[in-house]
PDB file of all heavy atoms in Angstrom:
ATOM      1  N   ILE A  74     -16.599  -2.963  -1.154  1.00  0.00           N
ATOM      2  CA  ILE A  74     -16.690  -2.158  -2.375  1.00  0.00           C
ATOM      3  C   ILE A  74     -17.929  -2.494  -3.200  1.00  0.00           C
ATOM      4  O   ILE A  74     -18.343  -1.725  -4.055  1.00  0.00           O
ATOM      5  CB  ILE A  74     -15.403  -2.337  -3.204  1.00  0.00           C
ATOM      6  CG1 ILE A  74     -15.260  -1.197  -4.195  1.00  0.00           C
ATOM      7  CG2 ILE A  74     -15.356  -3.692  -3.873  1.00  0.00           C
ATOM      8  CD1 ILE A  74     -13.899  -1.146  -4.853  1.00  0.00           C
ATOM      9  N   PHE A  75     -18.566  -3.629  -2.935  1.00  0.00           N
ATOM     10  CA  PHE A  75     -19.665  -4.087  -3.771  1.00  0.00           C
ATOM     11  C   PHE A  75     -21.026  -3.669  -3.222  1.00  0.00           C
ATOM     12  O   PHE A  75     -21.958  -4.449  -3.175  1.00  0.00           O
ATOM     13  CB  PHE A  75     -19.590  -5.604  -3.938  1.00  0.00           C
ATOM     14  CG  PHE A  75     -18.272  -6.056  -4.486  1.00  0.00           C
ATOM     15  CD1 PHE A  75     -17.357  -6.701  -3.670  1.00  0.00           C
ATOM     16  CD2 PHE A  75     -17.929  -5.793  -5.800  1.00  0.00           C
ATOM     17  CE1 PHE A  75     -16.127  -7.104  -4.172  1.00  0.00           C
ATOM     18  CE2 PHE A  75     -16.698  -6.188  -6.308  1.00  0.00           C
ATOM     19  CZ  PHE A  75     -15.799  -6.835  -5.491  1.00  0.00           C
ATOM     20  N   ASN A  76     -21.153  -2.430  -2.793  1.00  0.00           N
ATOM     21  CA  ASN A  76     -22.456  -1.915  -2.382  1.00  0.00           C
ATOM     22  C   ASN A  76     -22.562  -0.442  -2.755  1.00  0.00           C
ATOM     23  O   ASN A  76     -21.685   0.102  -3.411  1.00  0.00           O
ATOM     24  CB  ASN A  76     -22.695  -2.146  -0.873  1.00  0.00           C
ATOM     25  CG  ASN A  76     -21.763  -1.329  -0.001  1.00  0.00           C
ATOM     26  OD1 ASN A  76     -21.093  -0.421  -0.450  1.00  0.00           O
ATOM     27  ND2 ASN A  76     -21.731  -1.670   1.275  1.00  0.00           N
ATOM     28  N   SER A  77     -23.627   0.187  -2.328  1.00  0.00           N
ATOM     29  CA  SER A  77     -23.843   1.586  -2.711  1.00  0.00           C
ATOM     30  C   SER A  77     -22.980   2.547  -1.902  1.00  0.00           C
ATOM     31  O   SER A  77     -22.873   3.715  -2.253  1.00  0.00           O
ATOM     32  CB  SER A  77     -25.319   1.946  -2.544  1.00  0.00           C
ATOM     33  OG  SER A  77     -25.697   1.766  -1.191  1.00  0.00           O
ATOM     34  N   ARG A  78     -22.365   2.090  -0.811  1.00  0.00           N
ATOM     35  CA  ARG A  78     -21.493   2.921   0.012  1.00  0.00           C
ATOM     36  C   ARG A  78     -20.132   2.247   0.137  1.00  0.00           C
ATOM     37  O   ARG A  78     -19.794   1.704   1.185  1.00  0.00           O
ATOM     38  CB  ARG A  78     -22.106   3.147   1.398  1.00  0.00           C
ATOM     39  CG  ARG A  78     -23.459   3.829   1.350  1.00  0.00           C
ATOM     40  CD  ARG A  78     -24.005   4.116   2.726  1.00  0.00           C
ATOM     41  NE  ARG A  78     -23.158   5.084   3.407  1.00  0.00           N
ATOM     42  CZ  ARG A  78     -22.440   4.820   4.492  1.00  0.00           C
ATOM     43  NH1 ARG A  78     -22.428   3.626   5.016  1.00  0.00           N
ATOM     44  NH2 ARG A  78     -21.714   5.752   5.068  1.00  0.00           N
ATOM     45  N   PRO A  79     -19.325   2.237  -0.912  1.00  0.00           N
ATOM     46  CA  PRO A  79     -18.063   1.490  -0.874  1.00  0.00           C
ATOM     47  C   PRO A  79     -17.019   2.122   0.028  1.00  0.00           C
ATOM     48  O   PRO A  79     -16.950   3.337   0.163  1.00  0.00           O
ATOM     49  CB  PRO A  79     -17.605   1.520  -2.340  1.00  0.00           C
ATOM     50  CG  PRO A  79     -18.227   2.753  -2.900  1.00  0.00           C
ATOM     51  CD  PRO A  79     -19.531   2.924  -2.187  1.00  0.00           C
ATOM     52  N   HIS A  80     -16.233   1.288   0.661  1.00  0.00           N
ATOM     53  CA  HIS A  80     -15.076   1.697   1.448  1.00  0.00           C
ATOM     54  C   HIS A  80     -13.858   1.012   0.835  1.00  0.00           C
ATOM     55  O   HIS A  80     -13.740  -0.217   0.898  1.00  0.00           O
ATOM     56  CB  HIS A  80     -15.238   1.298   2.917  1.00  0.00           C
ATOM     57  CG  HIS A  80     -16.337   2.038   3.606  1.00  0.00           C
ATOM     58  ND1 HIS A  80     -17.658   1.701   3.445  1.00  0.00           N
ATOM     59  CD2 HIS A  80     -16.306   3.098   4.436  1.00  0.00           C
ATOM     60  CE1 HIS A  80     -18.397   2.524   4.171  1.00  0.00           C
ATOM     61  NE2 HIS A  80     -17.612   3.379   4.771  1.00  0.00           N
ATOM     62  N   TRP A  81     -12.977   1.806   0.251  1.00  0.00           N
ATOM     63  CA  TRP A  81     -11.850   1.231  -0.466  1.00  0.00           C
ATOM     64  C   TRP A  81     -10.710   2.238  -0.496  1.00  0.00           C
ATOM     65  O   TRP A  81     -10.856   3.387  -0.082  1.00  0.00           O
ATOM     66  CB  TRP A  81     -12.263   0.821  -1.871  1.00  0.00           C
ATOM     67  CG  TRP A  81     -12.549   1.963  -2.794  1.00  0.00           C
ATOM     68  CD1 TRP A  81     -13.633   2.781  -2.776  1.00  0.00           C
ATOM     69  CD2 TRP A  81     -11.715   2.422  -3.858  1.00  0.00           C
ATOM     70  NE1 TRP A  81     -13.534   3.731  -3.763  1.00  0.00           N
ATOM     71  CE2 TRP A  81     -12.369   3.538  -4.446  1.00  0.00           C
ATOM     72  CE3 TRP A  81     -10.493   2.005  -4.366  1.00  0.00           C
ATOM     73  CZ2 TRP A  81     -11.828   4.227  -5.516  1.00  0.00           C
ATOM     74  CZ3 TRP A  81      -9.952   2.704  -5.445  1.00  0.00           C
ATOM     75  CH2 TRP A  81     -10.622   3.795  -6.007  1.00  0.00           C
ATOM     76  N   ALA A  82      -9.552   1.799  -0.976  1.00  0.00           N
ATOM     77  CA  ALA A  82      -8.382   2.683  -1.040  1.00  0.00           C
ATOM     78  C   ALA A  82      -7.577   2.384  -2.293  1.00  0.00           C
ATOM     79  O   ALA A  82      -7.521   1.246  -2.755  1.00  0.00           O
ATOM     80  CB  ALA A  82      -7.512   2.497   0.199  1.00  0.00           C
ATOM     81  N   LEU A  83      -6.950   3.432  -2.809  1.00  0.00           N
ATOM     82  CA  LEU A  83      -6.016   3.322  -3.915  1.00  0.00           C
ATOM     83  C   LEU A  83      -4.648   3.725  -3.390  1.00  0.00           C
ATOM     84  O   LEU A  83      -4.506   4.779  -2.762  1.00  0.00           O
ATOM     85  CB  LEU A  83      -6.439   4.236  -5.074  1.00  0.00           C
ATOM     86  CG  LEU A  83      -5.568   4.182  -6.324  1.00  0.00           C
ATOM     87  CD1 LEU A  83      -5.597   2.789  -6.944  1.00  0.00           C
ATOM     88  CD2 LEU A  83      -6.035   5.224  -7.336  1.00  0.00           C
ATOM     89  N   SER A  84      -3.636   2.882  -3.637  1.00  0.00           N
ATOM     90  CA  SER A  84      -2.315   3.089  -3.034  1.00  0.00           C
ATOM     91  C   SER A  84      -1.226   3.173  -4.092  1.00  0.00           C
ATOM     92  O   SER A  84      -1.297   2.503  -5.125  1.00  0.00           O
ATOM     93  CB  SER A  84      -1.977   1.931  -2.091  1.00  0.00           C
ATOM     94  OG  SER A  84      -2.996   1.716  -1.153  1.00  0.00           O
ATOM     95  N   TYR A  85      -0.211   3.991  -3.772  1.00  0.00           N
ATOM     96  CA  TYR A  85       1.006   4.063  -4.590  1.00  0.00           C
ATOM     97  C   TYR A  85       2.191   4.082  -3.636  1.00  0.00           C
ATOM     98  O   TYR A  85       2.136   4.702  -2.566  1.00  0.00           O
ATOM     99  CB  TYR A  85       1.032   5.328  -5.452  1.00  0.00           C
ATOM    100  CG  TYR A  85       2.345   5.479  -6.196  1.00  0.00           C
ATOM    101  CD1 TYR A  85       2.556   4.801  -7.388  1.00  0.00           C
ATOM    102  CD2 TYR A  85       3.380   6.240  -5.679  1.00  0.00           C
ATOM    103  CE1 TYR A  85       3.768   4.895  -8.058  1.00  0.00           C
ATOM    104  CE2 TYR A  85       4.596   6.345  -6.337  1.00  0.00           C
ATOM    105  CZ  TYR A  85       4.783   5.684  -7.523  1.00  0.00           C
ATOM    106  OH  TYR A  85       5.988   5.768  -8.175  1.00  0.00           O
ATOM    107  N   GLY A  86       3.261   3.401  -4.031  1.00  0.00           N
ATOM    108  CA  GLY A  86       4.433   3.399  -3.169  1.00  0.00           C
ATOM    109  C   GLY A  86       5.686   2.992  -3.920  1.00  0.00           C
ATOM    110  O   GLY A  86       5.671   2.735  -5.124  1.00  0.00           O
TER     111      GLY A  86
END
Side-chain angles (χ1 to χ4, degrees):
I74 199 169
F75 304 107
N76 67 13
S77 60
R78 300 183 65 246
H80 293 79
W81 70 287
L83 182 62
S84 307
Y85 174 82

